[in-house]
Amino acid sequence: MFKAIQKRDGREVAFDETKITDAIFKAARAVGGEDRQTAMELTIEVLKLLKKQYNGNLFGVEDVQDIVEKVLIEAGHARTAKAYILYRARRTRMRDAKGELMDAVKEILEETNRENANISNSPSAKMLQIASAASKKYYLNRLIPEEMAQAHIRGDLHIHDLDFYGKTLTCLQIPLNKLLMEGFNTGHGYIRPPKRPTTATAQAAIILQSSQNDMHGGQSYAFFDRDIAPFVEEASDFETYQAMEALIHNLNSMHSRAGAQVPFSSINVGSETSEPARRVVRNLLMAYEAGLGNGENPIFPNIIFRVKEGINYNPGDPNYDLFKLAIKVASKRLNPTFSFMDSSFNKQFGTEVSYMGCRTRVMANRRGPEVTDRRGNLSFTTINLPRVAIKAERNLDAFYRGLSEIVDLTVRQLYHRYQVQSMLKVKDMPFIMGQKLYLDSECLKPDDPIEEAIKHGTLSVGFIGLAEALTALTGRHHGQDEEAQALGQEIVAFLRGKIDEASDEYNLNYTLLATPAEGLSGRFVKLDRKEFGVIPGVTKKDYYTNSFHVPVDFPISSFAKISLEGPYHKYCNAGHISYVEMSSPPLHNPDAVETIVRHMHDSDMGYCGINYPVDFCTNCSLTGVFNEDLCPRCGSINIRRVRRITGYLSTTDRFNDSKLSELRDRIAHK
């Protein structure tokens, strides 16, 4: 009857009516039908309509599908029609995904995507991001349940590290002591235990690199001072300093992920009082203060100084001198940041709690011992708080109903991902699982699934844009209004309550995260502005405010900002961080920095940092704050600008557009 049909790409191919029958029969089988004869009879009706409508003229694939839907509905096959429509929609998304993938590849070949400020623009980085783009399309269209995939696409939630959805886990607090004492294998032979500090720190860098190659998030040492101390017992300060200097240089030059980035490395120190451990911390801080070869500010490792009364917080404490040194170095180099063991939610664990630079915290464990070492976050997904608030139209009951629904969906999505991750085998993560880094991985064989180990990890529900959500609900954010601040705490407490319920229901370590949004802050607001328009104080800027933070452009003192943000830390058991912003490095005023850190401690915060600009001329090595695009001393345009982003340091040339916009809006706190 018909000779040709036009494909979607414009090509004309031979018409084959059996494809119509096959499609109808497939839809019927999806709802329990098994009668191919009916499918053939319905095909005849489709052909009749095609002849009537097109009268011998050329038609396309979409035209045929429109008529198939019409015939099915009019013939009383509503369930089959629905199955056919869903199948058609899915096929359309898959085709669109292929087109979007090709567009993404084209962009990546020109310049790597800047969602991650630690990814370079090298050939290997481009290859990594092309694979990433393909993986995202696969998972959204083939693996993740429809309801969850669509929520991500719409911007109701955001599945972080989507490209690694079924490949690996997020991060780990690495048991450095175990590996240095027992030796380890990175794949081509056994590395014996070190004897001297320089060898120990060289191996520590290799371990971070090897672990990063197995995971997509950060790598951290929970007790670096304790674990390196045995190897400096007979070493001088000079030899220990050389070892720490080598570590810092390695971590800023040793690449992972096929050469695409240096490892996201964090090092927790400060609570060990033995003389070898103190020597480790003292020389680590001094080496970090000195900087890289020409005095550049190091980007890694993120040093986290653990603060504890009776150990280092007050004059007379055995490590008080190290606390003062940490303040001095932070006043020049942005690091260390500070974690507080005396906060209401950390105190019960003594000095066991460790953080990562991105703010991740892994502590309580309903499936095993409550320890930090050998555990990490498995995955996290962030809720778009402003969108929930906008849709509620200032009705708090509607807001909480909508929030409850999206939390429940996010919890189910994380459980789906957990099930996928659980099917990974030990050999899929040869260093993390093969070298028994994860808790309870000791008895697993290469072909065993890893669930027995990852049951100790955390599944984190994150949130972003509390400030914008409050503005959408009340007209003012928590920096502007006491009632908004009370509502903000109520909302985050509600989220924590929902997460605790999920932990009980699934018997897994669900936790609440104050999301470290990088590319996400711009993605959410772009989608919301398209759907809801420009809403002053909500969707007008190019980014949403991180987690529970006061907006970066809001004029407020350091002490007031700390006091406002402090109450939120206790709810976010998956991780949290607060900053204050200074206009320049407080090199000559470390006492002011110490006063701020002490106020953070007293405001029940868990993890905090001090921010300010650090500019460096790569031509003449001048360091300072350059307000122009030229070095004020030599006139060079080769300026390296270091800023903090999502907990870690980076150079601004690697910031994405939304983060550059946020950076321009930041104002110093008095």
Side-chain angles (χ1 to χ4, degrees), residues 61-252:
V61 172
E62 294 287 347
D63 301 320
V64 174
Q65 292 182 340
D66 288 342
I67 289 177
V68 170
E69 289 182 15
K70 177 181 174 66
V71 167
L72 287 171
I73 292 170
E74 291 182 352
H77 297 284
R79 294 176 65 217
T80 301
K82 183 177 180 181
Y84 181 82
I85 292 168
L86 290 173
Y87 172 74
R88 181 184 179 186
R90 188 170 184 81
R91 294 288 296 176
T92 299
R93 285 199 308 277
M94 291 173 66
R95 284 190 299 273
D96 291 345
K98 290 178 182 178
E100 291 167 4
L101 174 59
M102 292 304 102
D103 291 341
V105 169
K106 182 177 183 296
E107 291 179 8
I108 291 166
L109 288 174
E110 294 173 0
E111 182 177 9
T112 52
N113 185 300
R114 288 177 293 153
E115 286 185 7
N116 183 333
N118 194 30
I119 297 290
S120 69
N121 199 41
S122 66
S124 57
K126 288 182 169 68
M127 288 297 292
L128 175 73
Q129 292 213 330
I130 289 170
S132 169
S135 293
K136 289 177 180 178
K137 298 301 180 186
Y138 170 79
Y139 287 129
L140 282 175
N141 289 284
R142 298 291 185 92
L143 180 69
I144 300 173
E146 180 79 6
E147 180 186 21
M148 301 166 187
Q150 286 303 307
H152 173 89
I153 292 167
R154 285 193 306 269
D156 297 335
L157 54 79
H158 180 86
I159 302 170
H160 291 269
D161 302 292
L162 175 61
D163 45 344
F164 286 96
Y165 195 95
K167 296 187 184 79
T168 185
L169 317 174
T170 300
C171 57
L172 181 65
Q173 290 282 4
I174 300 169
L176 179 60
N177 177 267
K178 166 184 165 62
L179 293 170
L180 293 182
M181 289 299 183
E182 299 175 4
F184 56 93
N185 189 328
T186 60
H188 294 285
Y190 173 70
I191 308 296
R192 64 171 176 77
K195 295 182 179 178
R196 303 301 301 177
T198 304
T199 309
T201 58
Q203 289 188 11
I206 292 169
I207 290 166
L208 285 166
Q209 180 190 40
S210 300
S211 186
Q212 183 76 82
N213 281 329
D214 271 7
M215 309 184 87
H216 59 72
Q219 310 305 316
S220 177
Y221 291 133
F223 305 99
F224 182 78
D225 41 3
R226 179 199 69 189
D227 295 348
I228 293 291
F231 305 98
V232 305
E233 286 183 354
E234 299 178 3
S236 64
D237 265 315
F238 176 72
E239 186 180 3
T240 304
Y241 180 87
Q242 285 188 311
M244 300 307 146
E245 182 182 54
L247 174 75
I248 292 167
H249 281 251
N250 279 335
L251 291 180
N252 285 276

Side-chain angles (χ1 to χ4, degrees), residues 3 9 17 72 103 292 345 351 477 542 604 651 661:
K3 292 183 179 180
D9 59 7
E17 65 184 64
L72 287 171
D103 291 341
L292 300 178
F345 44 88
T351 57
H477 61 68
D542 293 329
D604 204 30
T651 51
S661 179

